[in-house]
Amino acid sequence: MLVNGINPRKQAIPLDIFDKIKSGIDRVKDSNGIPVPITAYMLQEVLRRNDKLQEVAVEITEGEIIVTGKAIADLKVAKKDVSFSITLQPVRMEGRELIFKIAKLKPLNLSILNKRIFDKPPHLTYKSGHIRIDFNGWDLVRKIPVGKIKSYQLGEGKIVVMVGV
């Protein structure tokens, strides 16, 4: 039955709900984004998925990430375990990736060895002295359907990335 041309069983959505949604979207746009903390432990777990790395430990300090562990160097003659320490410093952001330059690498910084050890897509890629961490592969970041990294901050034990529109 229609009353004044309107079905009384179907209720119209009040306009104030649309206004609330619109104001919420505007707030996210105007803010720096949604903070997503990535802890040293989370980064360590991603690195442990790499079968060439063992005994990996990650330390995040103000301005740098220090990764230590053992890598299996697959040389043509034999396989050898090499203890390493790598210091990464952030350089820039692209989309949902942070790009780090290799500031220090002990015992030696060989591009071919670095590529074999650290080039493990989708989370990590190595190219010409830089390591990219793609945060879009992380469930925590993937839950935010749109946006890119607007800013980041390295603090004691974690990286806080701000994902926004």
Side-chain angles (χ1 to χ4, degrees), residues 15 23 27 30 33 44 57 63 78 84-85 96 105 109 113 116 120 125 144 147 152-153 157-158 162:
L15 288 178
S23 74
R27 261 191 314 228
D30 294 338
Q44 184 173 303
F84 71 92
S85 173
R96 289 188 172 201
L105 180 59
N109 191 353
L113 192 59
R116 284 187 181 167
K120 297 297 172 193
T125 52
I144 305 167
Y152 61 89
Q153 183 170 359
K158 65 183 171 187
M162 298 296 278

Side-chain angles (χ1 to χ4, degrees), residues 6-22:
I6 300 173
N7 186 345
R9 294 181 191 192
K10 289 186 178 178
Q11 299 213 359
I13 299 174
L15 288 178
D16 62 320
I17 289 177
F18 288 119
D19 291 337
K20 286 179 183 176
I21 292 170
K22 186 178 181 306

